[in-house]
Amino acid sequence: MSWLEALFIGFIQGISEFLPISSSAHLVIFEKILHINTGDVDLTFEVFLHVASLLAVLLYFREDLLNLVKGSLSYIIKKDVNQAGHFRFVSLMLVSTVITMIVGKLLEEWLADSITNTATIGAALIITGIFLILIEHGVSQGMRGPSEMTWKHAIFIGLGQALAVIPGISRAGSTLVAALWCGLSKETALRYSFLLSIPIITGITLLKLPELIGQFSHGINNELWIAFISSFIFALIGIKWLISMVQQAKLSYFAVYCVSLGLVTWIFLT
């Protein structure tokens, strides 16, 4: 893999991680189209780039995260009832994450090798496009804030996020649809969706940590660092872009893109 290919792969991973277009699908599609070889690291390389995306969302939501952590600790240690909302919000995120990991694993085992077939990816991209249309035209905007979220909402959103184990199903798109279907406001749905990416990406990274250490025990080459930095920068851009597009009700553009790419993938790459 050349440095230019590494830069491009980092761009694809970063910009598509938080946009509702599925980063995993784009990595598979563009590696096939451009015949980019990531070497022996393969899935481990993708996880490495996910770490860059994780750092991006941690940086962007650092104040929000700090408040949640401080508030939750204050509630647990000092029994400060004024911080109960922060503790409850974190608890709901953990419930969603557990549901995602359990159902996602079951989906992986059920779909087996077909999960990365281009036919599956093409169909999943079309489904993502439908999700995005539903966000703007099919799901009425709710008014519920964080304090009005329930355990049922957390479970439902966790189920939505689990669908993203299928390349082509956007994690951002599926969690936003699920959150809005629960009657959450756009602001709350966006915040919950972004923050929910932190434990799930962290969990995937920890599970793959032995492989990461083994693959990179002899050092990380320049191409991987280029891909990592590129992914980090464009993930930040992707976060700001999605927030802006949801607020301005312009997700239909992404819907058209996903459906078009899904059809192209289905027709020409299968």
Side-chain angles (χ1 to χ4, degrees):
M1 180 171 57
S2 69
W3 71 267
L4 191 59
E5 290 174 335
L7 183 67
F8 182 73
I9 287 295
F11 160 74
I12 291 297
Q13 165 61 33
I15 201 70
S16 60
E17 178 66 38
F18 297 109
L19 291 181
I21 56 177
S22 178
S23 62
S24 56
H26 278 71
L27 284 176
V28 172
I29 290 169
F30 281 100
E31 284 175 10
K32 283 181 178 291
I33 292 175
L34 302 176
H35 304 291
I36 295 175
N37 181 17
T38 56
D40 297 327
V41 290
D42 198 21
L43 183 59
T44 311
F45 174 73
E46 186 177 340
V47 174
F48 185 59
L49 295 188
H50 271 93
V51 175
S53 300
L54 175 62
L55 292 177
V57 76
L58 287 172
L59 177 63
Y60 194 91
F61 290 97
R62 59 191 181 279
E63 292 183 7
D64 207 347
L65 285 167
L66 186 60
N67 289 333
L68 284 172
V69 172
K70 287 171 63 178
S72 298
L73 290 175
S74 181
Y75 177 78
I76 294 170
I77 298 171
K78 299 178 181 179
K79 306 300 180 183
D80 185 354
V81 293
N82 293 320
Q83 303 298 329
H86 285 127
F87 176 76
R88 187 170 179 276
F89 191 83
V90 171
S91 299
L92 292 173
M93 286 175 56
L94 290 175
V95 169
S96 293
T97 301
V98 170
I99 294 296
T100 294
M101 295 184 76
I102 294 172
V103 177
K105 185 64 177 177
L106 292 174
L107 271 175
E108 276 187 326
E109 293 178 354
W110 178 54
L111 292 171
D113 293 337
S114 65
I115 199 169
T116 55
N117 286 349
T118 48
T120 302
I121 292 172
L125 281 166
I126 294 171
I127 293 171
T128 288
I130 294 171
F131 279 165
L132 299 179
I133 292 171
L134 285 173
I135 291 175
E136 284 198 356
H137 304 290
V139 183
S140 58
Q141 184 175 347
M143 300 297 291
R144 288 194 176 101
S147 61
E148 298 171 284
M149 287 186 66
T150 68
W151 303 108
K152 289 181 180 180
H153 296 153
I155 292 170
F156 189 67
I157 296 170
L159 290 171
Q161 184 173 238
L163 294 176
V165 72
I166 305 170
I169 298 293
S170 162
R171 194 203 66 82
S174 60
T175 52
L176 281 173
V177 166
L180 292 172
W181 230 313
C182 291
L184 302 186
S185 66
K186 280 188 176 180
E187 182 181 351
T188 303
L190 274 168
R191 178 173 176 250
Y192 195 78
S193 175
F194 279 121
L195 293 176
L196 197 56
S197 70
I198 295 171
I200 199 67
I201 296 177
T202 301
I204 293 171
T205 303
L206 290 175
L207 287 174
K208 294 293 179 179
L209 193 58
E211 292 180 41
L212 283 172
I213 294 172
Q215 292 284 358
F216 303 137
S217 58
H218 302 296
I220 303 174
N221 61 42
N222 292 334
E223 286 74 21
L224 289 181
W225 277 121
I226 289 171
F228 183 88
I229 294 170
S230 175
S231 181
F232 172 75
I233 292 171
F234 285 105
L236 284 173
I237 294 172
I239 292 171
K240 295 189 70 173
W241 195 2
L242 178 58
I243 292 173
S244 174
M245 295 295 272
V246 171
Q247 291 174 340
Q248 296 176 37
K250 293 183 178 179
L251 289 179
S252 295
Y253 298 121
F254 291 124
V256 172
Y257 172 77
C258 285
V259 172
S260 300
L261 183 60
L263 289 172
V264 169
T265 302
W266 211 351
I267 295 171
F268 297 105
L269 297 179
T270 55

